[in-house]
Amino acid sequence: MSFSPRERTLAAGVSGVLCAALGVGIGYLWALAVDRGSAPLHAVGSTVIDNAPASMREWAIETFGTADKPVLLTSIAIIMAVLAAIAGIAEFKRPPTGLVMFAVIGAVGVFAALDRPTAVWTWALPTVLGVTVAMGALHVLTRRIQPGAVGTSPAPDSQFDQSTDTGSGLESAEGDPGDVERRRFLVGASVVGGAVAATGLGGLALWRTTGSVGADRAAFEVPAAANTVTTTAPDLVDVTPYITPNNDFYRIDTALTVPQITSDSWSLRIHGMVDREVRLDLDQLRRDHTPFDAVVTLTCVSNSVGGDLIGNATWTGYRMSELLALAGPAPDADMVLSTSADGWTAGTPLTALTDNRDAMLAVGMNNEPLPVEHGYPVRMVVPGLYGYVSATKWVVSLEVTRFDRAKAYWTTLGWAEKGPIKTGSRIDVPRPNSTVPTGPVTVGGVAWAQHRGISGVQVRVDDGPWSDAEVLPPDLIDAWRLWKWDWDAEPGKHQLTVRAVDGDGQPQIETEAPPVPDGATGLHTIGVSVRS
């Protein structure tokens, strides 16, 4: 039985999706030989991130948090599948329209790959090769479902019993032409599907093993710090721990493909407005410079009031001021433009890297090598500044310059140049909209004002007076502090609000403002119900 018109259309759509998936799989395999950043979906996703309006990026971070990257890649894959299905149908009904659509999609992928900051011409190859194979497969599959694709043979010879002949030698030998047509398509689709599975599973396995720095990281030894720091704090039930475990530390960056840099291949170039250009590697850092530990809380500028894009860790590294001094910054320089291995940039005030704060090139996080997604083998940590102007991961270049001569990634997109962290606080317990018993209730959370410290925290019930909370040790100027307040809860519905006071005696800003352009402000307020 032949395909019905509806079945042919469906088969064409499936053909488009299968062929597109094959092209993507081949593209990812070739990207391993070129550069992981050249992989088709990742290149397109990175271009989307770079060019999306600030409001859209903030919405994605606010809505999906640290899952924003998987959501983006999944969305791109779904859109691509829909376009591929449409291309398959178009190729079936009006060839070569579908092939032209595949070519256009490929051109978008090539543009996205070549638009990456560190791209060279070979970055186009994974997409070009993938699209070429996809177009060939689509041409073959759609031909197999065209009406009349299975031809008829000459009339049967008279020696055959005419009573069993239905008019086609092919039919009498192999069955109904419609069945042959179906088999031909299913065989072709199965071959393409098998190739999709092979490239997909094979590519996934190679992606995880080939070029991975997992073994290098496992062998990396975090240097012993010359100092000791306090990391012990009282435990509060359901309150964020004082030290954030590495696996729980927030991750917000633009790297859809995490750079894979081995410790022996890493080097740092210090250049620009300096007396002499300097190049450093990890052996030189270990040999010539003294490592130290610092407890520093990092905060994302996209963190909303009461948000969780913040974490506290013990960092091990080398003083940025010493390293910059090797190059001799010019007296009129006021900014350092740091660049990551994938081309991302941040502009940091030179004073923040050379004053008395613990700005460092970090190689350790909570007594372990940096996690790969957090910058292994080397990243920047600068207390008191939002990450977008200071926390460059996979850092490979420091250009000493001026704010009026250079722009960094986020500042070109409308964010403020210098990004000092604003005083903030959060209620962790009770949970928002929870129900608590009448009587004593512990209210607790965290407060931060990096490089100024926290001198006090206050809590208010409804529109009542502010009450002082207990701020717990350790009291470190660059780290958040845990706090608690004992509340004699009365029956009914109530609102709890918290505010912090920094080490200079300045209270937290109460006026509400969004994260753009230099960090959110406002007071964290939650609603709770008290049982009678």
Side-chain angles (χ1 to χ4, degrees), residues 214-240:
D216 186 78
R217 180 181 179 272
F220 186 89
E221 293 186 8
V222 178
N227 64 321
T228 57
V229 294
T230 302
T231 59
T232 303
D235 290 328
L236 294 178
V237 177
D238 293 330
V239 172
T240 299

Side-chain angles (χ1 to χ4, degrees), residues 95-301:
T97 306
L99 299 183
V100 172
M101 289 183 64
F102 266 34
V104 171
I105 294 172
V108 171
V110 168
F111 170 81
L114 295 179
D115 190 51
R116 307 314 308 141
T118 58
V120 295
W121 70 268
T122 55
W123 282 44
L125 292 179
T127 299
V128 170
L129 293 170
V131 169
T132 300
V133 172
M135 291 172 67
L138 182 64
H139 175 70
V140 171
L141 281 185
T142 52
R143 279 175 59 86
R144 293 193 172 205
I145 54 176
Q146 292 289 349
V150 180
T152 58
S153 297
D157 190 275
S158 59
Q159 65 178 317
F160 293 108
D161 185 348
Q162 296 296 325
S163 65
T164 63
D165 176 54
T166 56
S168 170
L170 180 62
E171 180 181 343
S172 59
E174 301 182 19
D176 186 276
D179 292 335
V180 176
E181 182 182 59
R182 285 175 180 272
R183 284 198 301 271
R184 288 191 66 199
F185 172 74
L186 290 175
V187 168
S190 297
V191 170
V192 175
V196 170
T199 56
L201 295 176
L204 182 61
L206 290 174
W207 195 265
R208 290 179 174 176
T209 56
T210 304
S212 171
V213 296
D216 186 78
R217 180 181 179 272
F220 186 89
E221 293 186 8
V222 178
N227 64 321
T228 57
V229 294
T230 302
T231 59
T232 303
D235 290 328
L236 294 178
V237 177
D238 293 330
V239 172
T240 299
Y242 181 68
I243 295 295
T244 307
N246 289 356
N247 289 339
D248 296 335
F249 210 93
Y250 79 94
R251 179 197 167 198
I252 297 293
D253 54 46
T254 63
L256 289 179
T257 304
V258 176
Q260 305 286 315
I261 308 170
T262 59
S263 56
D264 59 354
S265 67
W266 176 86
S267 67
L268 176 72
R269 179 188 178 207
I270 305 176
H271 60 109
M273 298 175 62
V274 295
D275 293 338
R276 66 201 69 84
E277 183 172 316
V278 173
R279 238 180 222 286
L280 299 169
D281 58 27
L282 278 166
D283 286 340
Q284 289 172 291
L285 289 178
R286 293 189 184 101
R287 183 182 65 244
D288 301 332
H289 300 276
T290 303
F292 73 103
D293 282 347
V295 182
V296 179
T297 298
L298 299 187
T299 309
C300 179
V301 71

